[in-house]
Amino acid sequence: MFLSTKRPRAGIRMALAGASAAMATTLLLAGCAPASGGSASGSADTLIAYTGQSGDYQINFNPYSPSQIGGIGTIFESLFFVTNVNTEAYTPLLGTEYTWNEDGTQLSVTLREGVTWSDGEDFTADDVAFTFQLLLDTPSLNNGGFDGTVEATDDTHVVFTWDHPAFVSGPTLLGRTPIVPEHIWSGIDPTTDVMEKPVGTGPYTLDNFKPQAFTLAANEDYWDGAPAVKAIRYLSLSGNTAGVDALKAGTIDWQTGPVPDIENVSTTYPGYDAITIPQNQVALLTCSSAELGCTGPQTDPAVRQAVYAALNRDQVNSLAFQNTASEISPTFALTTTQKDLISSAVAEPVAPGAADPDTAAEILEAAGWAKGSDGIYAKDGETLSLTVEVVTGWTDYITAIDTMAQQLKAAGIDLRVSQSSWNEWTDKKGKGTYQLAIDSLGQGAASDPYYLYDKYFNTAFTAPVGEVAPQNVARFSDPDVDAALAVLKATNPEDAETRQVQFDIIQEKIVAAMPYIPVLTGGTTSEFNVDKFTGWPTQDDLYAFPAVWASPDNAQIFKSLKPAGE
Amino acid sequence: MNYFVRKLGFYLIALWAALTLNFLIPRLLPGNPVDILLAKLQQRGGIVTPDTRKAYELLLGGDSSEPLLVQYWNYLINIFRGDLGVSVSYFPTPVIEVINTSLPWTIMLVGVSTVLATVIGVALGAIVGWKPGTWLDSLIPATTLLAAVPYFWLALLLVYFFASTLKLFPSQGGYDVILDPGFSWEFIASAIQYGFLPALTIVIASVGGWLLGMRNMMVSTLSEDYILTAQAKGLSPGRILRHYAARNAVLPSVAGFAISLGFVVSGSIVTEQVFSYPGIGSKLLSAVTNNDYALMQGLFLFITLAVLVANLIVDLFYGLIDPRTRVNA
């Protein structure tokens, strides 16, 4: 029962008034706000880079730390700039020239004179020797696997010596080992120091750091002259959609990753252009070796060959990859920069774009498989059913598997998808508790298929099912391939003839066994602001890998860019 | 006194159970941090060789070969020392530091929103409950609908209207990145401006629950005899509403409020993701995706403690404000 009243209810009103007052204040304070990250866009010579960082940056400019957030190439330089997108000579940085001895056990490097650290101290050969000695003394930093000795013979010369031929260590040693200043690093713990004030020789220095953005400023005393791009600001946004929004709003100048309507970037996002570099060779990894404990139909090479033949790659490309992917060679030599290294004995140097179910059927029937009443092949009571592991949320790969499943069904092979978290997927791959998994194979430090062969096909880097295989998750093991890799390791990279013989051996074996079933070469697409800056890499002048997160390549690009007005 | 001692004992046991689960659950997850780190590196076009793996295993301590019981014992001892270890995904930052940088953001955002939502919800609930069956009741379905809408979708709608279309508020971040965090008027204004939309999301989504609870309590309180007595005495309706009805009806809401304050620490993962807010929620997500055991444990520990302490306070406080609960103790 209620009695109506006309009196004000002060208490409640007070509470409400308080709440609305708070809201009103916030509204007043809000004023007019820029769009997402808008205030971050800077002047004409500031480049805004977005690496896909979401959430806070945790300060760490230690180039040897796995969680470093930047500085390789920009703050800390290596001896040379070595890239794996072209096969040109190494670009001199802190080193000016290098020579190997006859048998690859000694490497002499001449250093640049007149270089200073950003705190004014002189750079000398002792810094280089100190850096490499540091790696030897601290195995947990030695992520390039340097296993020789180093000696500074005078102020501008350094000699590296090994007890075995070490030609293949060249690219990592020369191009991916940032040189650090002895006068600072000799007094710190290099494994845990996060270098809040990094001192380097590079074209940029750290200007300021905040958890959501940090800025690098041009080093006015850089040995090659200060770069024209005066500042680089790295932003943190929330994921890919935020990147697309920022691209539409024109608040970021460079990002790497797929965007909607990727084929018409220059019209959809006025002022921007895009470039796609084919480098990630997408493959169906198979747990291939029954000896090492793999189970399932994929342990039969005929099954792997049949899957290879039954794929319609053109269809997968258009449905799953917006046509940004390109052809792949079953030898896993990149068809862009390593085409000449593909063995002439390989019948199909490039995987066909169209499906060939007849060949697939021939291969399977020759191996004793027979079609069942359900249209799926079977052998000894085992149906030809394969499960592919993929990470939840990798939409392009999931679409690719769905497309392939339909294509393979037509060829009598049942393909199923199993989605799991990244952790679980990584775990299954490492331990070999999977049948197939979709992933891309990584390149080495230089454009040379040796590195990929060594990682993914060498018996040394595999393990029985149940133990973690460092790299060779397909459990592929072949004594001839191992022997060929050992010869390559001891061969001067200039000696193309000797190397080709070994490549022929490896390629013949891996095309026949096919532990990794080639699908397509995935493209890495980057979008960048061409109205604001000129000098970006192009397909004709690919001087560095144009991904914003690829260091030290990005530093090379920063150095080459000029604000458009100049 | 006996009542309080038994309560405290129960909470100590709950704390031990929580700590043990906190230790075990992360270890049951597949994968290990080194693998995740390498996979990430490779995704990023990094050069991954077996040497890289070896170096990282050494750096991160690889996979521990100590027996589980020893690990458990060390874990308990370290917790009481206040040492939560080193985070793997933010190596070499100590977990405490990672939590310290993000906790204030979450406490401010979610704390303020929770208080606002509660005050608004309870106040409206009292008014609606005062006159049940009138047009005011239509507030109930309206607000519960808002509470039922998927959180992220609501957040995205707000971003679309207020940030992308009207450009009134920034769509992401915790503050304008060109400012330095500190106690300057400029920075605080910026933080409020950036926090407005995420706070609005939380308030809109949670006000319905408070409103409904308060309204129903109000209705049942109004049928009590003492309300009738008060009306018979000729007290003004406003006085009855405030001093007789609302005061008693608010008791369950007080309990609920204290408990939700405990959950403030866990932040609001979805909201923080959508707005890329630099709080605990986003840290928790990245800890889980990177198998960062130490950070996960640290965050869960904070959350557990906050919830337990909040519950304890409610328990003790409730005994004070509502004598009926002590009758059977």
Side-chain angles (χ1 to χ4, degrees), chain A residues 79 213 255 300 322 341 430 432 479 556:
Chain A
L79 296 170
Q255 76 142 17
D300 180 352
Q322 297 194 57
L341 303 177
Q556 206 62 15

PDB file of all heavy atoms in Angstrom, chain A residues 79 213 255 300 322 341 430 432 479 556:
ATOM      1  N   LEU A  79      77.569  -6.126 -38.018  1.00  0.00           N
ATOM      2  CA  LEU A  79      78.729  -5.769 -38.845  1.00  0.00           C
ATOM      3  C   LEU A  79      78.296  -5.457 -40.270  1.00  0.00           C
ATOM      4  O   LEU A  79      78.803  -4.537 -40.907  1.00  0.00           O
ATOM      5  CB  LEU A  79      79.737  -6.919 -38.832  1.00  0.00           C
ATOM      6  CG  LEU A  79      80.347  -7.200 -37.451  1.00  0.00           C
ATOM      7  CD1 LEU A  79      81.139  -8.501 -37.465  1.00  0.00           C
ATOM      8  CD2 LEU A  79      81.254  -6.043 -37.023  1.00  0.00           C
ATOM      9  N   ALA A 213      53.415   3.535 -26.123  1.00  0.00           N
ATOM     10  CA  ALA A 213      54.110   4.023 -27.309  1.00  0.00           C
ATOM     11  C   ALA A 213      55.537   4.373 -26.934  1.00  0.00           C
ATOM     12  O   ALA A 213      55.799   4.808 -25.818  1.00  0.00           O
ATOM     13  CB  ALA A 213      53.418   5.264 -27.855  1.00  0.00           C
ATOM     14  N   GLN A 255      52.224  -0.655 -41.523  1.00  0.00           N
ATOM     15  CA  GLN A 255      51.868  -1.841 -40.760  1.00  0.00           C
ATOM     16  C   GLN A 255      51.970  -3.055 -41.667  1.00  0.00           C
ATOM     17  O   GLN A 255      51.966  -2.929 -42.885  1.00  0.00           O
ATOM     18  CB  GLN A 255      50.460  -1.725 -40.174  1.00  0.00           C
ATOM     19  CG  GLN A 255      49.340  -1.931 -41.174  1.00  0.00           C
ATOM     20  CD  GLN A 255      48.164  -2.692 -40.586  1.00  0.00           C
ATOM     21  OE1 GLN A 255      48.025  -2.811 -39.376  1.00  0.00           O
ATOM     22  NE2 GLN A 255      47.316  -3.227 -41.444  1.00  0.00           N
ATOM     23  N   ASP A 300      52.500 -43.343 -44.806  1.00  0.00           N
ATOM     24  CA  ASP A 300      52.730 -43.944 -46.124  1.00  0.00           C
ATOM     25  C   ASP A 300      53.054 -42.829 -47.124  1.00  0.00           C
ATOM     26  O   ASP A 300      52.231 -41.943 -47.346  1.00  0.00           O
ATOM     27  CB  ASP A 300      51.447 -44.689 -46.548  1.00  0.00           C
ATOM     28  CG  ASP A 300      51.589 -45.343 -47.909  1.00  0.00           C
ATOM     29  OD1 ASP A 300      52.612 -45.114 -48.600  1.00  0.00           O
ATOM     30  OD2 ASP A 300      50.657 -46.081 -48.293  1.00  0.00           O
ATOM     31  N   GLN A 322      43.016 -14.540 -50.394  1.00  0.00           N
ATOM     32  CA  GLN A 322      42.742 -13.330 -51.192  1.00  0.00           C
ATOM     33  C   GLN A 322      43.724 -13.178 -52.350  1.00  0.00           C
ATOM     34  O   GLN A 322      44.116 -12.068 -52.710  1.00  0.00           O
ATOM     35  CB  GLN A 322      42.831 -12.073 -50.322  1.00  0.00           C
ATOM     36  CG  GLN A 322      41.816 -11.988 -49.212  1.00  0.00           C
ATOM     37  CD  GLN A 322      41.762 -10.574 -48.633  1.00  0.00           C
ATOM     38  OE1 GLN A 322      41.524  -9.624 -49.351  1.00  0.00           O
ATOM     39  NE2 GLN A 322      41.962 -10.418 -47.349  1.00  0.00           N
ATOM     40  N   LEU A 341      68.469 -22.846 -58.120  1.00  0.00           N
ATOM     41  CA  LEU A 341      69.009 -23.936 -57.314  1.00  0.00           C
ATOM     42  C   LEU A 341      68.134 -25.172 -57.369  1.00  0.00           C
ATOM     43  O   LEU A 341      68.454 -26.194 -56.780  1.00  0.00           O
ATOM     44  CB  LEU A 341      69.156 -23.478 -55.854  1.00  0.00           C
ATOM     45  CG  LEU A 341      70.025 -22.231 -55.651  1.00  0.00           C
ATOM     46  CD1 LEU A 341      70.044 -21.811 -54.201  1.00  0.00           C
ATOM     47  CD2 LEU A 341      71.449 -22.511 -56.134  1.00  0.00           C
ATOM     48  N   GLY A 430      55.481 -30.368 -31.621  1.00  0.00           N
ATOM     49  CA  GLY A 430      56.775 -30.664 -31.022  1.00  0.00           C
ATOM     50  C   GLY A 430      56.901 -32.122 -30.633  1.00  0.00           C
ATOM     51  O   GLY A 430      57.919 -32.765 -30.887  1.00  0.00           O
ATOM     52  N   GLY A 432      55.071 -34.626 -31.742  1.00  0.00           N
ATOM     53  CA  GLY A 432      54.735 -35.576 -32.800  1.00  0.00           C
ATOM     54  C   GLY A 432      53.433 -36.304 -32.564  1.00  0.00           C
ATOM     55  O   GLY A 432      53.198 -37.357 -33.145  1.00  0.00           O
ATOM     56  N   PRO A 479      69.878 -40.780 -44.153  1.00  0.00           N
ATOM     57  CA  PRO A 479      71.341 -40.642 -44.051  1.00  0.00           C
ATOM     58  C   PRO A 479      71.951 -39.862 -45.221  1.00  0.00           C
ATOM     59  O   PRO A 479      72.900 -39.092 -45.024  1.00  0.00           O
ATOM     60  CB  PRO A 479      71.843 -42.084 -44.019  1.00  0.00           C
ATOM     61  CG  PRO A 479      70.688 -42.934 -44.415  1.00  0.00           C
ATOM     62  CD  PRO A 479      69.444 -42.181 -44.114  1.00  0.00           C
ATOM     63  N   GLN A 556      66.957  -0.674 -42.141  1.00  0.00           N
ATOM     64  CA  GLN A 556      67.499  -0.332 -43.460  1.00  0.00           C
ATOM     65  C   GLN A 556      66.480   0.517 -44.232  1.00  0.00           C
ATOM     66  O   GLN A 556      66.847   1.436 -44.947  1.00  0.00           O
ATOM     67  CB  GLN A 556      67.798  -1.658 -44.197  1.00  0.00           C
ATOM     68  CG  GLN A 556      68.877  -1.581 -45.240  1.00  0.00           C
ATOM     69  CD  GLN A 556      70.230  -1.196 -44.669  1.00  0.00           C
ATOM     70  OE1 GLN A 556      70.469  -1.239 -43.481  1.00  0.00           O
ATOM     71  NE2 GLN A 556      71.148  -0.805 -45.552  1.00  0.00           N
TER      72      GLN A 556
END
